[in-house]
Amino acid sequence: MKRIIIVFLLLIAIPINIFAIKLENTKEGKIFGYQLRIVRSEITEEVCKACNYNNDTVIIKIRNQDRSFSQDLKNEGNETANKVWLIIGTWNAINGENKEGAEKGITKYLNDVSKRCEEKNCDTSWVNKYRKKISNIVEDYTLYLKCEEINDFSDYNNKYKNTGLFKDLVRKAQRGNSSKSEVESIGGTQREGSVDPESVRDPGEQGKIDSVIGDGNKYLLKKTIISFISIVIVVLLLIVVVFVYRKRINGAEKDDNEIKEPNDTKKTEMSTQPANLLDQKGETPKESQESPQNGTSDGGGTGLSIINKDKWVLVGASVKGNGHIQNNMPCQDNHKFESLSNGWGIAVVSDGAGSAAHSDLGSKVVVERGVFHFKNLIEKEGWMESNTLPTDIEWLQKSYYTLKNIRNEVELVAHKNKVELKTLSATCLVVIYSPVGLLAVHVGDGRMGYKSGSGEWRAMMTPHKGEEANQTIFLVSDFWSIPNYVMSGVLVPESIVVREPVKAFALMSDGCENTSWKCTTLNTDTGKYYDQNKPFEGFFNPLEETLLSFYEEEVPEEERMAKWHRFIESGTSGFVKEQDDKTMIYGVNVNL
């Protein structure tokens, strides 16, 4: 029996080792294949544009590489859909581990599509752009393989700096060969914290690569798991056969009535979230309340306040403004925050556009999915475990693609509810807090600030404002396809890394800024008003003392919630008069 167990363990180890080896050896192939599949989706979308086909549901499936879009085109049955279907043909698999085959496959697809477009008198002016894009991807991959073979990535770093598709693999290889700092090893002489304009040419596309290794290995993992389960079943059957045979030989069989069932056969019940953000009635599914460490608010509701006894005490609320009360409108603000562990956590605020019919739903989706996606990002990158913050470039790129994922989910909600995307317009302000500093990113207006270790309050965002009053930009606005888009003199999205322990931080919608921020200041020389963009210490410092007293006196949860909601509702004369909805999350570090 011991021999059988040893053989069983060896057989288990074999597929695990095979998978580990394959996983390590195919990362670059997965990245290469993933990029070509993105190009394939973009080419397909160009065909739709050339044919004046604009079914958003099908186009979103194309972007998400959902092959069922082809069947949707066939089922649609109209002339335009049939035309697109005939031009596109069939999507063949693109396996990046076969470099020549993958390159040949995407090139053939582009050539075939281009030829069919010409035959049907469709626009083909976009074709050369994608020939060049494919060439650039192949060139990047070829250079990486060459450098990998000689274990010297100098040529790759000199050519691409931080923009190469394989920068993470280069970084990993160099960490194994050098004791230099991370920035020096992947960026030559570039200093940590500096921003190379070339490196942020298209942070959305570059950022996606950071997650492709995990996503691209799903198929390989599935195949290995199936093989593993098959081997386990065979071995277990052999064990049963041998065991029964030995029992019979030794005359040790027992009646069935003497066999006792084990006590641990109960199945664990699992709760699952639906794949869609909304249920069939178009309502957002409720989050499971696993712990009191989360703060959320439905529009106009009382925000939860939390105490993480290791590091932080947080409060938050979203309150309906006077204008919305008078016009019988919902509160279009929402917020959510969640404490993680080791003094880390996430806070998100979203202000729905006043002119957008369903912006209250849009802001709700932004905060719910915002916490979800940024939590996944923290866990994936291991920042919390290592208690370190990313470089400015890394945070810019990773926050960009995380916000874009949230934007795409808002679009899915719009389609599910059969409403226009712009009716869900909302801003997005995000702060990740930690014992070693803050990460912040935003799209739109509002305010975010922090209190440094020296006691000085500083802003950590420039509101995105247009030329007209109350004009801003929203997460669903059409800026994602424009590289390095700038508004109010800063990038959209704008990101910042605060590399020091902070005493407190705050983020809010613009309904709170006139009371808590120095944002309308008269220049006595010019006689004009300007935005000083500085937190008002006289507002925040007394609140810091109040939050610390909540912590020290162990004020009950419900009482803290009620007090903070009343304060945002009518705690100052400015809040009492405010017409717009008001949302504010405020956090204090109890250890500083």
Side-chain angles (χ1 to χ4, degrees):
M1 192 66 182
K2 291 181 179 179
R3 292 179 182 178
I4 295 175
I5 294 175
I6 293 173
V7 171
F8 175 63
L9 294 176
L10 288 174
L11 289 175
I12 290 176
I14 290 172
I16 293 176
N17 288 332
I18 290 174
F19 173 70
I21 292 170
K22 286 186 176 181
L23 189 65
E24 186 63 28
N25 292 340
T26 60
K27 287 181 179 179
E28 59 267 22
K30 296 297 181 184
I31 295 175
F32 179 64
Y34 179 77
Q35 286 300 309
L36 294 185
R37 290 192 292 274
I38 290 177
V39 172
R40 181 180 62 187
S41 295
E42 293 175 349
I43 292 171
T44 307
E45 191 171 349
E46 289 288 356
V47 172
C48 294
K49 293 179 182 177
C51 297
N52 295 319
Y53 178 81
N54 55 8
N55 186 326
D56 289 337
T57 301
V58 173
I59 291 174
I60 287 178
K61 285 189 175 184
I62 291 171
R63 292 176 185 172
N64 293 335
Q65 301 181 28
D66 183 350
R67 291 171 179 263
S68 66
F69 81 88
S70 180
Q71 189 62 42
D72 290 350
L73 285 171
K74 291 175 65 176
N75 294 340
E76 196 167 336
N78 60 57
E79 182 179 351
T80 304
N82 289 336
K83 184 178 181 181
V84 173
W85 183 77
L86 290 172
I87 292 175
I88 290 173
T90 304
W91 270 8
N92 294 322
I94 296 179
N95 181 4
E97 296 173 51
N98 180 357
K99 176 178 175 292
E100 290 73 21
E103 180 183 355
K104 182 178 179 181
I106 189 64
T107 302
K108 182 178 184 303
Y109 181 71
L110 178 60
N111 291 338
D112 292 344
V113 165
S114 173
K115 181 180 178 180
R116 296 186 191 114
C117 279
E118 290 178 350
E119 292 173 352
K120 296 185 178 298
N121 298 320
C122 294
D123 177 34
T124 58
S125 60
W126 49 270
V127 173
N128 287 335
K129 177 177 72 172
Y130 288 99
R131 293 194 194 283
K132 179 64 175 176
K133 192 165 187 176
I134 292 170
S135 176
N136 289 340
I137 293 172
V138 173
E139 182 181 358
D140 190 336
Y141 189 29
T142 302
L143 181 58
Y144 171 81
L145 292 177
K146 177 182 176 182
C147 294
E148 182 187 40
E149 184 177 356
I150 62 176
N151 198 24
D152 182 359
F153 294 93
S154 301
D155 290 344
Y156 190 93
N157 286 331
N158 290 336
K159 183 174 179 63
Y160 294 108
K161 293 188 178 179
N162 288 333
T163 62
L165 302 177
F166 305 95
K167 65 180 183 64
D168 283 343
L169 299 185
V170 171
R171 181 189 297 117
K172 180 178 179 181
Q174 290 185 327
R175 279 175 175 169
N177 298 329
S178 172
S179 60
K180 293 182 180 181
S181 69
E182 180 181 37
V183 173
E184 291 175 341
S185 68
I186 64 172
T189 58
Q190 183 179 341
R191 293 179 299 168
E192 183 173 0
S194 65
V195 177
D196 179 4
E198 289 296 315
S199 69
V200 295
R201 182 182 293 114
D202 191 352
E205 181 174 327
Q206 175 64 30
K208 281 187 176 181
I209 298 183
D210 297 331
S211 64
V212 67
I213 292 174
D215 295 337
N217 283 313
K218 288 181 179 178
Y219 178 70
L220 177 60
L221 176 60
K222 181 178 179 180
K223 288 179 64 179
T224 305
I225 290 175
I226 292 173
S227 300
F228 170 74
I229 292 174
S230 300
I231 293 173
V232 170
I233 292 173
V234 171
V235 172
L236 288 176
L237 288 174
L238 287 174
I239 291 175
V240 171
V241 170
V242 172
F243 180 76
V244 172
Y245 177 75
R246 291 183 62 182
K247 281 281 189 179
R248 288 179 177 176
I249 292 296
N250 296 328
E253 287 183 271
K254 294 184 179 181
D255 293 334
D256 290 341
N257 293 333
E258 296 179 4
I259 300 175
K260 296 182 179 180
E261 293 292 332
N263 294 323
D264 57 350
T265 58
K266 293 183 179 179
K267 295 182 179 180
T268 303
E269 295 184 0
M270 301 292 290
S271 61
T272 59
Q273 290 282 354
N276 294 320
L277 294 178
L278 302 181
D279 61 19
Q280 296 300 319
K281 297 181 180 179
E283 298 176 351
T284 304
K286 296 180 180 180
E287 297 286 338
S288 58
Q289 301 296 323
E290 295 181 355
S291 71
Q293 297 293 322
N294 301 325
T296 62
S297 173
D298 293 327
T302 302
L304 301 179
S305 58
I306 65 169
I307 287 185
N308 177 351
K309 293 187 177 180
D310 293 331
K311 291 291 179 182
W312 299 89
V313 53
L314 269 71
V315 288
S318 292
V319 179
K320 188 184 295 189
N322 291 331
H324 287 198
I325 294 174
Q326 294 166 4
N327 296 317
N328 195 28
M329 295 172 61
C331 179
Q332 295 170 324
D333 284 4
N334 270 289
H335 74 280
K336 182 181 177 73
F337 51 86
E338 182 173 339
S339 175
L340 304 179
S341 61
N342 301 328
W344 285 69
I346 307 163
V348 184
V349 163
S350 181
D351 182 354
S355 59
H358 307 293
S359 64
D360 54 325
L361 174 59
S363 64
K364 178 70 172 177
V365 176
V366 168
V367 300
E368 293 288 345
R369 305 309 292 171
V371 169
F372 173 82
H373 282 294
F374 278 99
K375 180 180 178 180
N376 284 348
L377 176 64
I378 294 171
E379 294 174 350
K380 173 180 174 293
E381 298 300 325
W383 297 332
M384 186 167 59
E385 287 73 10
S386 61
N387 209 32
T388 57
L389 300 176
T391 65
D392 290 46
I393 293 293
E394 289 173 328
W395 174 236
L396 170 64
Q397 294 172 341
K398 296 180 190 301
S399 61
Y400 181 102
Y401 79 76
T402 304
L403 288 175
K404 194 170 185 180
N405 285 341
I406 300 167
R407 178 260 176 217
N408 290 341
E409 292 195 356
V410 175
E411 186 172 15
L412 291 175
V413 171
H415 285 287
K416 185 173 181 62
N417 287 272
K418 298 180 180 180
V419 297
E420 292 186 18
L421 177 60
K422 64 181 181 181
T423 65
L424 273 68
S425 294
T427 65
C428 182
L429 283 68
V430 180
V431 170
I432 295 176
Y433 58 92
S434 77
V436 293
L438 303 175
L439 300 172
V441 66
H442 78 103
V443 173
D445 57 12
R447 303 285 172 169
M448 295 192 292
Y450 71 96
K451 186 176 184 180
S452 67
S454 62
E456 178 184 1
W457 273 95
R458 301 168 183 167
M460 55 179 172
M461 67 170 273
T462 298
H464 295 132
K465 293 183 179 292
E467 296 179 357
E468 300 179 7
N470 297 323
Q471 185 181 27
T472 186
I473 197 167
F474 303 103
L475 195 64
V476 301
S477 298
D478 189 18
F479 65 87
W480 295 100
S481 60
I482 306 174
N484 301 332
Y485 186 81
V486 172
M487 189 174 190
S488 301
V490 295
L491 286 172
V492 182
E494 181 193 19
S495 62
I496 186 175
V497 181
V498 178
R499 301 184 185 282
E500 63 170 319
V502 301
K503 290 186 175 181
F505 71 88
L507 61 162
M508 67 195 73
S509 64
D510 61 351
C512 290
E513 67 180 20
N514 290 326
T515 300
S516 62
W517 223 261
K518 299 176 183 178
C519 53
T520 305
T521 306
L522 177 65
N523 186 324
T524 56
D525 295 331
T526 63
K528 296 181 179 180
Y529 287 92
Y530 70 100
D531 188 349
Q532 190 176 349
N533 192 17
K534 187 175 181 180
F536 179 43
E537 296 90 339
F539 176 87
F540 287 107
N541 286 340
L543 287 178
E544 178 183 352
E545 297 175 4
T546 300
L547 264 64
L548 288 174
S549 71
F550 286 170
Y551 172 77
E552 294 168 356
E553 298 171 11
E554 298 183 353
V555 176
E557 183 78 13
E558 292 184 0
E559 184 177 346
R560 296 197 306 270
M561 287 163 37
K563 285 184 177 181
W564 184 252
H565 185 271
R566 285 197 300 270
F567 175 75
I568 298 299
E569 184 177 45
S570 57
T572 69
S573 59
F575 284 160
V576 171
K577 298 175 183 178
E578 182 59 49
Q579 295 297 302
D580 199 2
D581 295 334
K582 298 164 288 185
T583 292
M584 183 184 298
I585 297 176
Y586 188 38
V588 175
N589 190 335
V590 300
N591 286 359
L592 287 182

